[in-house]
Amino acid sequence: MEFIDLKAQQQRLRARIEERICRVLDHGKYIMGPEVFELEEKLANFTGVKHAVSCSSGTDALLMALLALRVVPGDIVFVPAFTFVATAEVLPLIGATPAFVDIDPETWNLDVESLRDAISCVRDEGLGRARGVIAVDLFGLLADYESIHALAEEQGLFVIQDAAQSFGATALGQRAGSNAPIATTSFFPAKPLGCYGDAGAVFTSDDEVAETLRSLRVHGGGRDKYDNVRIGLNGRCDTFQAAVLLEKLEIFEEEIDKRQIVAARYTDSLNGARTLQKIPEGNRSVWAQYSVLSDQRTIDRERLREAGVPTAVYYPKPLHQQDAFRDVALCPVSLSCAEETSRKIFSLPMHAYLGEQDQNRIVEVLFDLSSESEKESKRAG
Ligand SMILES: *Cc1c(COP(=O)(O)O)cnc(C)c1O
């Protein structure tokens, strides 16, 4: 059994992807070839924003978004403590400071009350210039943008949507990538829409920001290749990856539907037995991960492993406990929910091609576990 089955998808698309790749080999425009622009147009249409600026990764997408918003050394940006390292890492890289915020115990996304407290603390104690917040759509569930925007507006902060895990998700019909003035995503192979290498995108409906992003991704270029108007990076998405993504995008809607079915089967079977991520009404997660909280994670995972079922822990350590952030980040509030979640969480196999039989087996192993441990605790009691 695979944790994320990229082979099943490739089998389905192999001929079409090969044809696309051959076309690139024929025209030879490996950098910024026509597939890159075709992809950007299709991504913008899919998301419902005016501009999709493709780039080299989800991490560079975040970096470009921060540079476009002119985040400078000394600025403070609020980020959830429970996310992939890239969300916070890009800040110290440009001399800015991440201020960690706790997550909501039910959705595991940024807790807006914790954000409010963190902003107050930074302001009251004069810790630096609070500039913005990066909200993360954890495991494919959109953050609570209505509340986040209301607070950010009141406090004069920008909002960046880190949609690396949520591309394809919706809330009240609005697609991930359109929930903040600037949103970023990743096409890393294991993400809901993944290529065969590294790639990402930044989304915005602001013409000026889009132009800045396009300049940033090619060394801060101006009118032509040797005119440099700002400090930028080599942040382009290469033509081969765009070609792969174009074919994968064709079947993406159908895959999103399949993920709903797989997730619903897990939810039906596991509800009550393990703590699940709460999906607020009006939301459709894209289920980048199907995760559960367990009081006996080590036992759960070991039994699944013995039964040939791969699992993973996203994330075993919240970011404020990582050595890398010790001297470059702020912890203005309690991060107890992030800490507790990192102790209990693990993720089950999740992809569009996960069959009902395999899923039943996974659930059976877990249920045997609960009855075993009940027996254990009865014996011990
Ligand atoms: C994967 C991920 C990123 C980084 O994407 P890359 O394409 O791997 O650079 C950023 N933020 C979150 C929340 C992610 O899950």
Side-chain angles (χ1 to χ4, degrees):
M1 199 182 299
E2 304 278 336
F3 186 68
I4 294 176
D5 195 346
L6 295 175
K7 285 193 202 110
Q9 184 199 47
Q10 187 183 111
Q11 232 164 20
R12 197 179 156 192
L13 288 177
R14 180 76 186 225
R16 284 186 265 167
I17 288 175
E18 279 183 9
E19 203 185 301
R20 275 277 187 184
I21 287 174
C22 282
R23 257 189 269 166
V24 177
L25 288 172
D26 287 343
H27 70 54
K29 296 192 178 82
Y30 307 122
I31 303 293
M32 299 309 274
E35 285 79 4
V36 173
F37 300 100
E38 186 185 343
L39 176 68
E40 289 185 337
E41 198 179 320
K42 288 190 170 152
L43 289 175
N45 286 341
F46 183 90
T47 312
V49 296
K50 199 163 166 198
H51 306 280
V53 179
S54 64
C55 66
S56 40
S57 70
T59 307
D60 284 344
L62 285 163
L63 184 59
M64 284 163 49
L66 292 169
L67 292 171
L69 289 167
R70 295 188 177 80
V71 172
V72 295
D75 285 355
I76 292 175
V77 177
F78 299 91
V79 292
F82 192 70
T83 174
F84 182 60
V85 63
T87 311
E89 173 190 39
V90 286
L91 291 160
L93 201 60
I94 56 171
T97 304
F100 291 119
V101 173
D102 211 1
I103 55 167
D104 179 271
E106 292 191 313
T107 65
W108 310 334
N109 275 331
L110 189 140
D111 182 320
V112 181
E113 282 317 303
S114 174
L115 175 60
R116 181 182 288 282
D117 293 345
I119 297 168
S120 300
C121 176
V122 163
R123 294 238 158 102
D124 293 349
E125 294 183 24
L127 298 177
R129 193 160 72 111
R131 284 289 316 278
V133 48
I134 304 177
V136 177
D137 306 330
L138 200 73
F139 305 145
L141 171 68
L142 296 183
D144 178 4
Y145 287 99
E146 202 183 320
S147 311
I148 292 168
H149 284 308
L151 178 58
E153 206 166 303
E154 174 195 304
Q155 299 286 331
L157 302 177
F158 68 70
V159 179
I160 294 175
Q161 174 181 20
D162 180 353
Q165 300 180 7
S166 65
F167 192 73
T170 53
L172 303 170
Q174 260 198 307
R175 277 236 159 96
S178 70
N179 311 91
I182 301 188
T184 63
T185 199
S186 163
F187 302 123
F188 181 82
K191 307 282 179 176
L193 179 66
C195 55
Y196 292 144
D198 279 309
V202 189
F203 300 93
T204 185
S205 287
D206 184 315
D207 295 342
E208 210 172 302
V209 171
E211 200 189 313
T212 305
L213 289 166
R214 291 197 175 100
S215 160
L216 281 166
R217 83 171 159 190
V218 195
H219 307 290
R223 281 186 319 277
D224 61 60
K225 207 169 166 181
Y226 300 106
D227 178 35
N228 303 99
V229 296
R230 55 173 64 77
I231 297 299
L233 59 150
N234 175 355
R236 294 170 299 232
C237 166
D238 75 68
T239 310
F240 280 117
Q241 298 308 334
V244 170
L245 285 168
L246 279 166
E247 286 308 322
K248 290 208 186 189
L249 192 57
E250 287 293 316
I251 60 161
F252 189 46
E253 299 258 16
E254 190 196 316
E255 288 186 335
I256 296 169
D257 290 340
K258 285 188 172 155
R259 283 171 176 275
Q260 304 308 310
I261 295 167
V262 173
R265 281 201 295 253
Y266 271 142
T267 302
D268 284 347
S269 319
L270 298 176
N271 208 3
R274 295 291 180 280
T275 305
L276 310 178
Q277 186 176 23
K278 184 187 167 185
I279 310 297
E281 211 170 301
N283 272 276
R284 190 177 68 158
S285 173
V286 73
W287 299 103
Q289 305 295 341
Y290 194 97
S291 306
V292 303
L293 301 186
S294 169
D295 293 326
Q296 44 166 42
R297 175 172 74 185
T298 309
I299 302 171
D300 281 2
R301 293 189 69 212
E302 183 54 22
R303 290 291 178 82
L304 285 163
R305 195 192 61 77
E306 278 169 10
V309 179
T311 62
V313 175
Y314 304 110
Y315 299 92
K317 228 190 221 186
L319 294 183
H320 64 286
Q321 293 178 342
Q322 297 281 2
D323 284 346
F325 290 100
R326 195 187 299 145
D327 302 320
V328 295
L330 297 172
C331 296
V333 287
S334 156
L335 302 166
S336 58
C337 190
E339 287 166 13
E340 191 184 336
T341 305
S342 70
R343 282 193 295 268
K344 293 185 173 175
I345 203 156
F346 73 96
S347 305
L348 295 167
M350 176 76 217
H351 54 85
Y353 304 93
L354 185 57
E356 191 164 1
Q357 258 182 347
D358 278 343
Q359 260 191 301
N360 287 343
R361 200 158 65 82
I362 295 167
V363 170
E364 270 162 32
V365 174
L366 264 174
F367 279 156
D368 282 345
L369 266 173
S370 354
S371 53
E372 279 289 327
S373 65
E374 269 161 36
K375 276 181 243 159
E376 284 257 346
S377 61
K378 267 180 207 149
R379 250 179 268 142

